[in-house]
Amino acid sequence: MTRTAAFEKTPGWLDWHSNPKAPDFTPPPGAVDAHCHVFGPGDEFPFAPERKYTPCDASKDQLFALRDHLGFSRNVIVQATCHGADNSAVIDAIAHSHGKAKGIASIKPAITDAELAALDAGGIKGVRFNFVKRLVNPLPPEVLRELVGRIAPLGWHIVVYFEAADLPGLYDFLSDLPVIAVADHMGRPDVSQPLDAPGFELFLRLMRESGHIWAKVSGAERLSQSGPPGYDDFVPFARRVVERFPDRVLWGTDWPHPNLKSHMPDDGALVDLLPRIAPTPELQRKLLVDNPMRLYWPEEVNT
């Protein structure tokens, strides 16, 4: 994993864990890893010229092997910023998943209706809007509103990635959206602060006042200051979101964990956080099965 064809990895890049433990926690039947990525392989799906990092390869076959190892049934594959708006790697992974994967795309304002239709036919269910400036150059809200208007007829939703410090400036935009918006990693709260600190309270208020806002209670390895294996400072934040909004939460591994600096998590240990985040079988089923199925495989839920 040191090279990706003609692409040299970003110096200091941490590769994904090659031998994760078998989780002690057994996910409920039909569980969905609702946030993961594929990188390349670079010789087959080149990385975007405008990318701000160059990762290791992380193929669909490796992702699906991890899915099976962890005891999950399906994946939602989110377009990685290293691939820009070329969603070919995600579409290819979905096509080879035997119906067990859906995707979230990245698109440009100039995308045609025919191209949107092709993505829809390829298993795309939404679009990611990234507001993290160290990863992308964010599009202005007025451009994003126009894109939302174009994807809404497809029944798509959006996934939003932002940091807690940016939420005050995004609050009105997010609360006014006419489609479901799923916040990656709970909007990246500062988990070293108390649960009732203003930043996290603002995110909870957004969810409370806006029924179309969902949250991924993922990212322990990104947000925690206490670190592995227990990520103890992260758990209360995720649990609060799950307990207050049980019908609007998702979870994912975030494999292969791009742009981590401190450590590379054991994905099996991340799965073992789930009963601490969702402490009852009912909450676990909502988080891992019912909610992602309703959002990504509604045709199976409604038949």
Side-chain angles (χ1 to χ4, degrees):
M1 291 185 289
T2 57
R3 286 182 61 85
T4 59
F7 298 97
E8 195 72 35
K9 285 190 306 184
T10 296
W13 183 269
L14 298 180
D15 293 348
W16 42 272
H17 198 299
S18 61
N19 188 31
K21 60 169 287 196
D24 297 319
F25 171 72
T26 301
V32 180
D33 177 352
H35 186 93
C36 51
H37 311 279
V38 288
F39 298 154
D43 57 353
E44 185 176 0
F45 302 104
F47 301 113
E50 71 273 17
R51 69 191 181 280
K52 294 193 176 184
Y53 64 88
T54 303
C56 63
D57 282 337
S59 73
K60 59 181 181 290
D61 293 334
Q62 291 160 330
L63 173 63
F64 298 154
L66 178 71
R67 174 200 66 203
D68 296 343
H69 175 72
L70 297 179
F72 283 72
S73 298
R74 308 186 191 218
N75 300 100
V76 179
I77 306 172
V78 178
Q79 171 77 347
T81 59
C82 59
H83 280 293
D86 181 352
N87 298 280
S88 300
V90 172
I91 294 294
D92 175 74
I94 295 170
H96 288 85
S97 72
H98 304 290
K100 295 181 178 180
K102 299 292 185 181
I104 297 294
S106 290
I107 61 175
K108 293 182 178 180
I111 191 169
T112 67
D113 290 342
E115 289 168 332
L116 285 173
L119 290 175
D120 186 58
I124 295 299
K125 289 293 185 178
V127 173
R128 194 185 202 195
F129 292 166
N130 194 324
F131 297 97
V132 181
K133 297 180 180 64
R134 58 187 163 79
L135 297 177
V136 297
N137 299 314
L139 292 171
E142 58 271 18
V143 175
L144 298 178
R145 287 190 187 94
E146 182 178 348
L147 287 174
V148 169
R150 295 184 62 199
I151 68 169
L154 296 169
W156 291 6
H157 63 280
I158 66 169
V159 171
V160 289
Y161 189 28
F162 59 87
E163 298 182 309
D166 297 321
L167 180 54
L170 293 170
Y171 194 96
D172 290 343
F173 169 74
L174 295 174
S175 61
D176 290 341
L177 286 168
V179 298
I180 289 173
V182 184
D184 282 344
H185 314 318
M186 303 180 291
R188 295 186 61 100
D190 182 352
V191 300
S192 69
Q193 298 294 312
L195 270 172
D196 59 357
F200 191 53
E201 276 295 313
L202 184 64
F203 181 74
L204 294 177
R205 175 188 157 196
L206 176 67
M207 291 200 69
R208 185 172 64 251
E209 296 181 351
S210 305
H212 62 283
I213 302 293
W214 293 38
K216 291 177 188 170
V217 291
S218 52
E221 72 282 9
R222 297 188 178 280
L223 302 177
S224 175
Q225 300 296 310
S226 59
Y231 302 103
D232 295 330
D233 51 354
F234 167 87
V235 168
F237 288 81
R239 180 166 173 165
R240 177 153 295 186
V241 176
V242 169
E243 291 182 334
R244 290 193 178 181
F245 309 101
D247 297 312
R248 289 187 277 139
V249 286
L250 305 169
W251 183 88
T253 57
D254 198 21
W255 187 89
H257 310 286
N259 290 299
L260 288 183
K261 306 299 182 186
S262 62
H263 74 290
M264 182 52 58
D266 181 319
D267 293 281
L270 294 180
V271 172
D272 284 339
L273 294 179
L274 284 165
R276 299 171 63 199
I277 293 170
T280 70
E282 180 183 9
L283 289 174
Q284 292 160 14
R285 180 164 184 84
K286 285 177 177 286
L287 175 65
L288 299 175
V289 183
D290 296 347
N291 297 343
M293 288 299 293
R294 183 158 44 97
L295 197 57
Y296 293 100
W297 284 270
E299 68 281 359
E300 296 188 30
V301 174
N302 297 327
T303 56

